[in-house]
Amino acid sequence: MHRYIFLLLATAAVPLFADAVPADGANQISQQVLARYFAAVNAQAPHTRGVEMDMHFSASIPRLKKEGVMLAKRIVSSLGKISFAVKSFTGDNTVKTYVITKYMAGEADLADHSLDSGINPKNYKFKYKRTQPFNGRKVHIYELNPRKKRLGLFKGELWVDDETAFPVRESGSLVKSPSVFLKKVYFTRTYAVYNGAALPEHVESTVETRVAGKAEIDIRYSNFGAESPNPPTTP
């Protein structure tokens, strides 16, 4: 969901794996990587707005054996507002009404309220866990614990690319539901780099809805580009 304001810091590159150095050295590396991450996300902020992307949104309600697929365009305006231009939907309307539409509305509402849900020291406590390879790259993994139970924040993990300091992966559970129709939201979000910014590429989520029970969600984004002047339609 995509909208952050971060602390700008500067630091040197980090060439070593944390598990290959003493605890003090690992802590220093942890702080350096975080500093580079905050700086990188702050620098990319202008490029995360005024963009749009194709969206393949598939969802299912296992208990009811219902599923649906929506093709849409996700649009982030120059002001950070999120909207959707729906192209098509196939499947059961229960999935469309109680899962896909509610999920989209929650994301748009979060952006409309301009809440600071960024991954920064004001919102989170960071604990350095480990490094590991991911898609052929070295990533640094942090455990995140929100300082407050507030809309848009989550408890989980942040993966940071060693070379670019961009976010690679975020996963966990939202500490507060984005919608009255949703009880719990668990997610894994991975990123792709487009035009100097890390944008969402794939989201997998399990959502506990108040009406239909557990729902499984898979969202894939592609064809990133500049925002179109054509007004969107909502689902």
Side-chain angles (χ1 to χ4, degrees), residues 9-83:
L9 297 171
T11 187
V14 182
L16 299 175
F17 283 88
D19 57 2
V21 296
D24 289 346
N27 182 65
Q28 182 179 9
I29 290 174
S30 168
Q31 296 304 313
Q32 290 177 341
V33 173
L34 279 179
R36 293 174 57 227
Y37 166 78
F38 297 141
V41 176
N42 183 80
Q44 76 164 1
H47 302 291
T48 62
R49 297 182 174 189
V51 298
E52 61 182 41
M53 60 205 75
D54 288 340
M55 181 180 188
H56 182 281
F57 196 134
S58 61
S60 64
I61 305 174
R63 181 174 63 85
L64 301 179
K65 298 182 179 179
K66 297 180 182 296
E67 58 186 27
V69 174
M70 179 177 286
L71 302 181
K73 191 173 289 293
R74 179 178 182 269
I75 302 160
V76 184
S77 76
S78 58
L79 298 177
K81 303 291 186 180
I82 296 178
S83 56

Side-chain angles (χ1 to χ4, degrees), residues 29-199:
I29 290 174
S30 168
Q31 296 304 313
Q32 290 177 341
V33 173
L34 279 179
R36 293 174 57 227
Y37 166 78
F38 297 141
V41 176
N42 183 80
Q44 76 164 1
H47 302 291
T48 62
R49 297 182 174 189
V51 298
E52 61 182 41
M53 60 205 75
D54 288 340
M55 181 180 188
H56 182 281
F57 196 134
S58 61
S60 64
I61 305 174
R63 181 174 63 85
L64 301 179
K65 298 182 179 179
K66 297 180 182 296
E67 58 186 27
V69 174
M70 179 177 286
L71 302 181
K73 191 173 289 293
R74 179 178 182 269
I75 302 160
V76 184
S77 76
S78 58
L79 298 177
K81 303 291 186 180
I82 296 178
S83 56
F84 303 92
V86 177
K87 298 178 179 179
S88 65
F89 175 79
T90 57
D92 192 279
N93 280 330
T94 301
V95 174
K96 178 182 179 182
T97 302
Y98 294 107
V99 181
I100 298 179
T101 301
K102 300 304 181 186
Y103 187 98
M104 289 178 169
E107 183 177 5
D109 187 61
L110 181 64
D112 285 344
H113 286 83
S114 301
L115 298 176
D116 177 15
S117 57
I119 300 177
N120 56 45
K122 184 178 73 174
N123 291 333
Y124 289 95
K125 296 178 181 179
F126 297 81
K127 181 180 179 181
Y128 193 39
K129 297 185 69 176
R130 65 187 184 278
T131 59
Q132 70 178 50
F134 180 73
N135 290 339
R137 304 180 70 87
K138 173 184 171 183
V139 297
H140 300 267
I141 300 175
Y142 292 84
E143 177 183 304
L144 300 184
N145 286 285
R147 295 183 182 275
K148 296 182 179 180
K149 187 177 181 180
R150 189 155 55 78
L151 193 64
L153 304 186
F154 70 96
K155 179 181 175 62
E157 288 186 349
L158 165 69
W159 294 19
V160 180
D161 183 87
D162 178 69
E163 182 179 343
T164 65
F166 278 152
V168 171
R169 184 179 187 265
E170 298 163 358
S171 63
S173 58
L174 299 183
V175 295
K176 191 171 183 179
S177 173
S179 168
V180 295
F181 297 95
L182 307 176
K183 294 192 295 183
K184 296 180 180 180
V185 178
Y186 305 90
F187 72 95
T188 297
R189 180 188 302 117
T190 55
Y191 287 88
V193 176
Y194 166 76
N195 193 29
L199 299 177

